[in-house]
Structures are given as structure tokens and as C-alpha cells.
Amino acid sequence: MKFKLPNIIPVFPLSGVIYFPETNLPLNVFEPRYLALVNDCIKSNKYMGLIQPKKNSSDVYNVGCLGKITKSKKTKDGRMLINLIGISRFEIKEEIENDKSYREFQVSYEKFKEDLDVNKEQSKKIEKIKELSEKTKVFFKKNGLLLNWKEFDKLDQDQRINTLAMIAPISNVEKQTILESTNIQSKTKILSEIIEFYLYENSLNNSTMQ
């Protein structure tokens, strides 16, 4: 099965949110230009891109994630509550000049075509993902984060990695690095190394305080 995705998309630069395929993201939209973006999306194909802006700049990172609006609700005070489901990561090719209040980009999904392959083989790195889950349980516990691990284990492997990367208490730069990783093996490896670093740093801090 092949997905026909738009190669020109409206993009919502959202600081502090790194969005992954196969994850849900609820958004509370209130800025006029992004209300216009959402309304235009709902009238057309319901696709919109989310991307991380660079610090103190109008520039954005080169890789973001395409989402599809699955739910939308207008509030009495003019806001829009929407839910996005992650479809595929994209790579920006160029910005499109327009007369709209929001930005549009020409994008390519080629680098991340694995995101759209519904028949992709499950990774053979199952043990690596199990190891990562065990490390993450310790990491989350140390940071006071709760996750329903029984429900989490029902997700497929890609969803597990994407969910962990999205909610883990790591920096946005680190999350962006995971987002830009082309396949599940590299995402697993990078996230595992990041969590190992934090756990090691935490153990050093504890030993210093004793």
C-alpha cells in the first residue's frame, strides 16, 4: 500500500515539541495565523507539518513530521482544539512564497520512506528494544514519570521508540537527533545512548553527594 502525500505543506513551527510518526498529539491552537492554517487544512486534505524552530531565530530545523488532523473542535473563546496523528517525517527542500499568514514548504519523504511502509518487517533488534525499555523504566522512575507499561508493550516496535523519544525528559536537541535518524535501529541506538548518559550522570551525582 502506498500513501500519496502532499509535497507542499503548511508548517507549524512549535518550540519544545518534537513530534514522531504513529503518535498522537493534541494541540490547543489560538494564534490567528495558526488558526488560519488549521482551518485551511480542515478544508483541504487535513495534512499539516510540525517542526522545531531554532533558538533565537526564524530558521527551522530541516526535518519535521507530517500529521493529519483526526479531530477538531472550536471553543467559545475562538481557540481550536485538534488532534494530530503522525504520518511520516519529512525533509524540507525549500520555502514556498505565499500571501498567507503562515509558512509553507516543499518537502520530500524519500529519506524516511520506511515510515510509510506498512508492510515493513519488524526489526531483528528486538533484544535491543527490550534493553532500552528496561533502561527507560529506571530512567523514568528516577525522574518521577509514570507510564502504563502494560499498554506500552502492546505497541509495535516503531511506536514504542517514537513514544519514548517524544515523552522522555531529554533535551529538544537530543529529540531532534532521534527524529532525524532514518530507521528504527539508529533511533534505538541513539535513544539508548542518551538514556545511558543520563543514568550515568545521575549515578555520578549521587556518589558525589554521599
Side-chain angles (χ1 to χ4, degrees):
M1 179 179 177
K2 290 186 177 180
F3 292 83
K4 179 65 177 174
L5 298 178
N7 62 1
I8 295 177
I9 60 171
V11 167
F12 189 166
L14 191 56
S15 181
V17 176
I18 310 291
Y19 181 47
F20 288 82
E22 298 186 77
T23 60
N24 283 288
L25 180 66
L27 287 177
N28 175 11
V29 184
F30 53 87
E31 282 190 57
R33 56 181 166 168
Y34 297 127
L35 285 171
L37 184 157
V38 168
N39 283 318
D40 287 350
C41 286
I42 291 171
K43 290 173 188 173
S44 59
N45 53 26
K46 298 188 178 180
Y47 287 120
M48 59 184 281
L50 257 73
I51 203 158
Q52 179 77 1
K54 294 185 177 179
K55 255 187 177 180
N56 306 316
S57 169
S58 61
D59 290 342
V60 294
Y61 282 94
N62 202 43
V63 173
C65 184
L66 183 76
K68 187 167 188 178
I69 299 172
T70 57
K71 293 179 184 176
S72 62
K73 180 182 178 183
K74 290 183 179 178
T75 64
K76 290 180 181 179
D77 59 1
R79 293 176 292 120
M80 183 78 81
L81 305 177
I82 65 172
N83 185 77
L84 289 175
I85 179 73
I87 304 296
S88 171
R89 290 166 291 169
F90 60 80
E91 186 175 23
I92 285 177
K93 293 303 178 184
E94 63 177 340
E95 185 160 3
I96 303 298
E97 287 189 23
N98 63 29
D99 57 359
K100 300 171 184 176
S101 56
Y102 54 84
R103 301 168 74 180
E104 292 179 298
F105 292 86
Q106 182 181 350
V107 301
S108 169
Y109 308 96
E110 183 63 27
K111 187 176 178 182
F112 305 106
K113 56 188 176 183
E114 186 179 286
D115 291 350
L116 299 173
D117 185 1
V118 295
N119 297 314
K120 62 191 170 190
E121 290 184 17
Q122 288 292 321
S123 168
K124 295 178 181 178
K125 305 287 185 180
I126 293 176
E127 288 306 314
K128 291 289 183 186
I129 293 177
K130 284 182 179 178
E131 287 173 20
L132 175 59
S133 293
E134 292 308 311
K135 289 177 194 171
T136 308
K137 286 178 184 178
V138 175
F139 183 49
F140 277 26
K141 188 174 181 180
K142 287 183 181 295
N143 283 275
L145 293 174
L146 298 176
L147 184 65
N148 186 332
W149 293 101
K150 189 174 180 181
E151 290 300 313
F152 175 79
D153 287 339
K154 294 177 183 178
L155 302 175
D156 68 34
Q157 293 180 61
D158 243 355
Q159 287 176 310
R160 290 188 205 181
I161 298 302
N162 291 341
T163 300
L164 290 179
M166 195 168 171
I167 66 176
I170 61 179
S171 76
N172 289 333
V173 173
E174 288 165 331
K175 290 185 181 188
Q176 183 70 30
T177 302
I178 298 165
L179 182 71
E180 295 180 11
S181 304
T182 53
N183 56 51
I184 188 172
Q185 290 92 339
S186 59
K187 282 191 287 187
T188 304
K189 181 175 183 292
I190 292 169
L191 182 56
S192 183
E193 287 172 353
I194 290 169
I195 288 176
E196 279 178 9
F197 171 77
Y198 279 103
L199 288 173
Y200 176 70
E201 190 177 55
N202 185 264
S203 66
L204 279 182
N205 290 337
N206 288 341
S207 62
T208 304
M209 291 171 64
Q210 289 174 359

